[in-house]
Amino acid sequence: MKEKLVTKRDVAGWVLGPLVASTIAGAIGYYNGSLPIVWGFASSHPVESALWSALFLLIGVAIGAFARGCLDATKINEMTAKISELEAEPENNSDDDGVQMLTGEDALNFIRSLTDNQKSILAEVYDSGGSISADPFDGDLSQLRTYGLVSMPPIVAPGMPCKWSIPPNVNRILRDNPDLLEVDSKEIEPTPKGISSLSSIMAHAVWSAYEHGDMPIGEAHEEVWASIIDGDGIFERVCHPYMGARNPTDKYRLTSKWRIALKDEATLDLVKIAARGY
């Protein structure tokens, strides 16, 4: 172990500490009248006074050294605890997660394993030039961020949209493998065949949504919920754009494709016929 050298600062602390304490004690003694008594004893017993002064000086130095050691130990303990806390804190850097750790075919298979919804969102970002503006707490984008597929600025303003972007290496993978984000289409077309595949409950929901427009999502049947989640192209959440961000509301409606198709009386009659059993 390397020996610790005594610095001038240490010596100054050891000397000034007792001197300051002696000065304070002398001032107190002067005001309470005990200083003349002590001075008289020191004048008549110089040797004993010198010994007592040396003893007090050593005691002061020892107390100062002990206090300094306690402070140093406290600082060391605080630094050790902080270092341990930093070492134990999990990394939250998406650059070290998911596809960022993979190469070659493993990276391609990782993206292929995404859900259709995740692929659709990633495709939307990619098709928008590699970045979109959205809520910093968007659940779907946050999940893709944990996979290392999208990134966001380190500092964002709560309640304000931020820029979500695709990292360069992921962008290269998607550019070189355009089929990675392809999904099996689940969309039901507003054709006689598509309408005949609807249950009476769904047909009635389509009819009601067409008649009333936006519908409270809290009143939606579970089949309507499944339709929205699966993205079969019939229903969608109503979103209000705000500074480039999509803000879902508590309502749902027919997609534009179905709203346009049902303007045709014959197509609407097919929906009404399919809904008669409900």
Side-chain angles (χ1 to χ4, degrees):
M1 176 182 287
K2 186 177 180 180
E3 183 178 358
K4 182 179 179 181
L5 299 178
V6 178
T7 64
K8 293 181 180 179
R9 185 177 179 180
D10 295 331
V11 175
W14 295 340
V15 174
L16 291 177
L19 289 178
V20 172
S22 299
T23 302
I24 295 174
I28 295 173
Y30 177 82
Y31 284 108
N32 63 22
S34 61
L35 183 59
I37 299 174
V38 176
W39 181 257
F41 176 82
S43 299
S44 58
H45 302 83
V47 177
E48 291 86 348
S49 297
L51 292 175
W52 278 107
S53 297
L55 177 61
F56 287 138
L57 178 62
L58 291 175
I59 293 174
V61 170
I63 293 174
F66 177 78
R68 186 188 180 101
C70 291
L71 291 175
D72 289 342
T74 301
K75 291 181 179 179
I76 291 174
N77 291 336
E78 290 177 353
M79 292 179 65
T80 302
K82 185 173 291 186
I83 292 173
S84 300
E85 182 179 351
L86 291 174
E87 290 177 347
E89 185 176 354
E91 292 281 341
N92 192 27
N93 188 351
S94 63
D95 292 339
D96 295 333
D97 296 332
V99 74
Q100 302 285 354
M101 300 293 293
L102 304 175
T103 57
E105 194 65 26
D106 290 334
L108 301 183
N109 290 332
F110 184 90
I111 297 177
R112 289 192 185 102
S113 67
L114 298 175
T115 65
D116 288 348
N117 183 55
Q118 291 170 340
K119 289 181 181 179
S120 298
I121 295 172
L122 189 58
E124 179 183 351
V125 182
Y126 181 76
D127 293 338
S128 300
S131 65
I132 61 171
S133 179
D135 193 305
F137 301 106
D138 187 293
D140 294 323
L141 288 169
S142 296
Q143 186 62 46
L144 291 176
R145 180 172 179 262
T146 64
Y147 298 154
L149 293 169
V150 296
S151 60
M152 62 182 292
I155 301 177
V156 296
M160 298 294 291
C162 71
K163 183 178 180 180
W164 293 84
S165 57
I166 298 177
N169 63 323
V170 178
N171 188 75
R172 286 193 297 270
I173 293 174
L174 298 179
R175 181 193 62 200
D176 297 338
N177 302 273
D179 61 320
L180 282 180
L181 299 181
E182 291 182 357
V183 299
D184 296 331
S185 178
K186 298 180 180 179
E187 291 193 3
I188 300 176
E189 300 293 334
T191 60
K193 181 179 179 181
I195 294 173
S196 64
S197 69
L198 301 177
S199 67
S200 58
I201 293 176
M202 277 294 290
H204 184 271
V206 170
W207 183 9
S208 297
Y210 179 74
E211 294 290 336
H212 299 93
D214 299 346
M215 305 279 287
I217 202 165
E219 300 175 6
H221 190 273
E222 59 183 14
E223 287 193 33
V224 175
W225 268 110
S227 171
I228 296 173
I229 295 173
D230 291 341
D232 58 15
I234 301 177
F235 296 104
E236 63 181 2
R237 289 286 293 270
V238 178
C239 295
H240 287 163
Y242 176 71
M243 296 184 68
R246 300 166 303 166
N247 298 288
T249 67
D250 59 352
K251 294 184 178 182
Y252 72 97
R253 65 186 175 190
L254 291 172
T255 60
S256 60
K257 182 186 297 184
W258 277 78
R259 291 199 303 270
I260 294 173
L262 294 181
K263 290 181 179 180
D264 178 62
E265 289 292 337
T267 304
L268 181 59
D269 287 341
L270 290 177
V271 172
K272 292 179 180 178
I273 293 171
R276 283 180 178 175
Y278 183 75

